[in-house]
Tab-separated table of all heavy atoms in Angstrom:
chain	number	residue	atom	x	y	z
A	109	ASN	N	-183.653	-63.233	22.513
A	109	ASN	CA	-184.758	-63.574	21.609
A	109	ASN	C	-185.271	-64.901	21.830
A	109	ASN	O	-186.531	-65.219	21.719
A	109	ASN	CB	-184.277	-63.559	20.085
A	109	ASN	CG	-183.938	-61.967	19.669
A	109	ASN	OD1	-184.630	-61.114	20.118
A	109	ASN	ND2	-182.925	-61.812	18.828
A	164	VAL	N	-212.684	-60.555	40.364
A	164	VAL	CA	-211.945	-60.646	41.579
A	164	VAL	C	-210.504	-61.003	41.233
A	164	VAL	O	-209.581	-60.342	41.845
A	164	VAL	CB	-212.580	-61.745	42.472
A	164	VAL	CG1	-211.574	-62.089	43.629
A	164	VAL	CG2	-213.922	-61.335	43.091
A	230	PRO	N	-207.541	-32.046	52.914
A	230	PRO	CA	-208.624	-31.492	52.067
A	230	PRO	C	-208.025	-30.765	50.792
A	230	PRO	O	-208.857	-30.634	49.844
A	230	PRO	CB	-209.257	-30.469	52.971
A	230	PRO	CG	-208.312	-30.037	53.933
A	230	PRO	CD	-207.405	-31.173	54.235
A	274	LEU	N	-195.836	-57.865	28.370
A	274	LEU	CA	-194.418	-57.540	28.187
A	274	LEU	C	-194.261	-56.354	27.215
A	274	LEU	O	-194.855	-56.334	26.104
A	274	LEU	CB	-193.656	-58.653	27.508
A	274	LEU	CG	-192.094	-58.562	27.457
A	274	LEU	CD1	-191.537	-58.556	28.886
A	274	LEU	CD2	-191.436	-59.654	26.631
A	302	GLY	N	-193.139	-38.948	48.351
A	302	GLY	CA	-194.262	-38.345	49.144
A	302	GLY	C	-195.620	-38.203	48.484
A	302	GLY	O	-196.603	-37.691	49.102
A	325	THR	N	-215.516	-37.273	44.165
A	325	THR	CA	-215.382	-38.661	44.046
A	325	THR	C	-216.831	-39.319	44.195
A	325	THR	O	-217.838	-38.663	44.581
A	325	THR	CB	-214.516	-39.288	45.043
A	325	THR	OG1	-214.958	-39.058	46.349
A	325	THR	CG2	-213.151	-38.724	44.849
A	356	GLU	N	-219.249	-61.746	28.269
A	356	GLU	CA	-218.088	-60.911	28.807
A	356	GLU	C	-217.764	-61.553	30.209
A	356	GLU	O	-218.630	-61.618	31.118
A	356	GLU	CB	-218.524	-59.480	29.039
A	356	GLU	CG	-217.299	-58.531	29.472
A	356	GLU	CD	-217.596	-57.122	29.287
A	356	GLU	OE1	-218.430	-56.795	28.506
A	356	GLU	OE2	-217.000	-56.398	30.127
A	359	GLY	N	-215.731	-66.161	29.106
A	359	GLY	CA	-214.950	-66.635	27.944
A	359	GLY	C	-214.493	-65.551	27.070
A	359	GLY	O	-213.564	-65.783	26.228
A	403	LEU	N	-206.597	-63.056	15.252
A	403	LEU	CA	-207.515	-62.694	14.151
A	403	LEU	C	-207.330	-61.180	13.861
A	403	LEU	O	-207.457	-60.375	14.802
A	403	LEU	CB	-209.032	-62.932	14.627
A	403	LEU	CG	-209.287	-64.346	15.089
A	403	LEU	CD1	-210.810	-64.445	15.608
A	403	LEU	CD2	-209.004	-65.380	14.023
A	419	ASP	N	-192.350	-59.951	13.990
A	419	ASP	CA	-191.274	-60.973	13.676
A	419	ASP	C	-191.345	-62.061	14.764
A	419	ASP	O	-191.169	-63.292	14.424
A	419	ASP	CB	-189.953	-60.250	13.687
A	419	ASP	CG	-189.779	-59.397	12.518
A	419	ASP	OD1	-190.456	-59.572	11.479
A	419	ASP	OD2	-188.822	-58.548	12.568
A	433	THR	N	-209.732	-61.311	8.802
A	433	THR	CA	-210.717	-62.176	9.446
A	433	THR	C	-211.440	-61.369	10.554
A	433	THR	O	-210.835	-60.598	11.277
A	433	THR	CB	-210.096	-63.394	10.158
A	433	THR	OG1	-209.437	-64.113	9.134
A	433	THR	CG2	-211.125	-64.225	10.931
A	441	GLU	N	-223.936	-71.804	25.716
A	441	GLU	CA	-224.978	-71.889	26.611
A	441	GLU	C	-224.663	-71.072	27.874
A	441	GLU	O	-224.957	-69.888	28.008
A	441	GLU	CB	-225.238	-73.400	27.024
A	441	GLU	CG	-225.755	-74.207	25.797
A	441	GLU	CD	-227.042	-73.762	25.302
A	441	GLU	OE1	-227.913	-73.247	26.043
A	441	GLU	OE2	-227.268	-73.929	24.014
A	532	LYS	N	-200.055	-42.816	21.234
A	532	LYS	CA	-200.496	-43.883	22.107
A	532	LYS	C	-199.356	-44.849	22.375
A	532	LYS	O	-199.324	-45.926	21.883
A	532	LYS	CB	-201.640	-44.561	21.527
A	532	LYS	CG	-202.888	-43.628	21.246
A	532	LYS	CD	-203.359	-42.830	22.424
A	532	LYS	CE	-204.683	-42.108	22.154
A	532	LYS	NZ	-204.489	-40.851	21.431
Side-chain angles (χ1 to χ4, degrees):
N109 292 327
V164 168
L274 190 67
T325 60
E356 186 170 334
L403 306 178
D419 290 342
T433 301
E441 296 298 329
K532 306 299 189 278

